Amino acid sequence: MQERALLPLIHGQIAPNIETETELEFPAVFEAYYKRIYNYIAYRVDCRYTAEDLASQVFEKTLSKLSGYSPEKAPLEVWLFAIARNVVNDYYRSRARQRFFSLDSIRELISGRKEPEAQMLDKERSGRLQQALDTLSAKERNLIALKFGADLKNTEIARITGMSESNVGVILYRSMRKLKSEIGSVEEL
């Protein structure tokens, strides 16, 4: 399911206040969290189309389980990112069982949005970043995705992962040093 398929749901209703978590309605949850969930997943997988599909799966699961959500058990954000983490883990488990040729990467290369040279430079930069991310452990990559993909604070990441805030900070610092040693500076990217 693509983002476009859910847009009529969003535009048809007025978004309630997500901060209070008292009146949760799916369009408001989708609107408030889609970009961050998508970014988190995009850091964890290497294809934009796969990230879109997985983000859609996260919101399909959210829609089906939203009526049973209880703020007493966990904050909404923690609950959503736990669903996203499980969807990504399920994707990698199913992918380990099947190896197939992906047409998504070729489709991305030949799309007509940019000039071919700009597309190749973007693809090269993305490939270098992806290679650098692949050098990280699954735990480090997950924390990087939560920090920079989902734009969460260390305290929020600690709540989601069950780690201490200081441990999150230390692992993020070490992960960034590893990435910097792989890539060099951002200007070189």
Side-chain angles (χ1 to χ4, degrees), residues 33-160:
Y33 288 99
Y34 179 81
K35 184 75 175 169
R36 292 172 61 201
I37 294 287
Y38 170 80
N39 287 339
Y40 165 73
I41 294 171
Y43 268 81
R44 304 259 338 257
V45 300
D46 57 355
C47 175
R48 185 179 69 139
Y49 298 111
T50 302
E52 287 176 358
D53 287 344
L54 294 178
S56 296
Q57 288 177 26
V58 168
F59 284 99
E60 285 176 15
K61 288 185 179 195
T62 301
L63 180 61
S64 68
K65 297 178 181 183
L66 191 60
S67 62
Y69 166 72
S70 172
E72 290 83 32
K73 292 181 182 174
L76 179 65
E77 196 168 73
V78 171
W79 184 66
L80 286 173
F81 281 101
I83 291 172
R85 182 188 61 220
N86 291 337
V87 165
V88 171
N89 290 341
D90 289 346
Y91 164 74
Y92 279 115
R93 262 186 242 121
S94 70
R95 191 172 167 205
R97 285 184 237 133
Q98 292 181 329
R99 283 281 180 198
F100 57 90
F101 181 71
S102 172
L103 294 176
D104 291 338
S105 58
I106 293 173
R107 187 178 337 149
E108 205 167 310
L109 268 178
I110 60 174
S111 70
R113 283 186 249 150
K114 290 183 177 180
E115 296 294 319
E117 289 178 27
Q119 283 183 338
M120 288 305 294
L121 288 174
D122 286 348
K123 188 75 176 171
E124 189 175 309
R125 283 188 204 112
S126 178
R128 286 185 61 200
L129 180 60
Q130 195 65 42
Q131 284 179 337
L133 287 170
D134 287 344
T135 63
L136 301 177
S137 70
K139 183 180 190 178
E140 292 168 330
R141 191 169 175 161
N142 187 40
L143 292 181
I144 292 286
L146 288 169
K147 180 72 176 182
F148 300 104
D151 198 27
L152 294 174
K153 296 176 182 166
N154 289 2
T155 55
E156 296 166 325
I157 294 171
R159 264 190 291 163
I160 290 171

Side-chain angles (χ1 to χ4, degrees), residues 6 9-34 59 62-67 69 76 79-80:
L6 296 172
L9 293 172
I10 293 170
H11 295 299
Q13 298 182 15
I14 298 170
N17 184 0
I18 291 293
E19 298 293 325
T20 61
E21 297 181 353
T22 56
E23 292 184 33
L24 290 176
E25 293 189 22
F26 180 73
V29 171
F30 179 85
E31 195 168 307
Y33 288 99
Y34 179 81
F59 284 99
T62 301
L63 180 61
S64 68
K65 297 178 181 183
L66 191 60
S67 62
Y69 166 72
L76 179 65
W79 184 66
L80 286 173

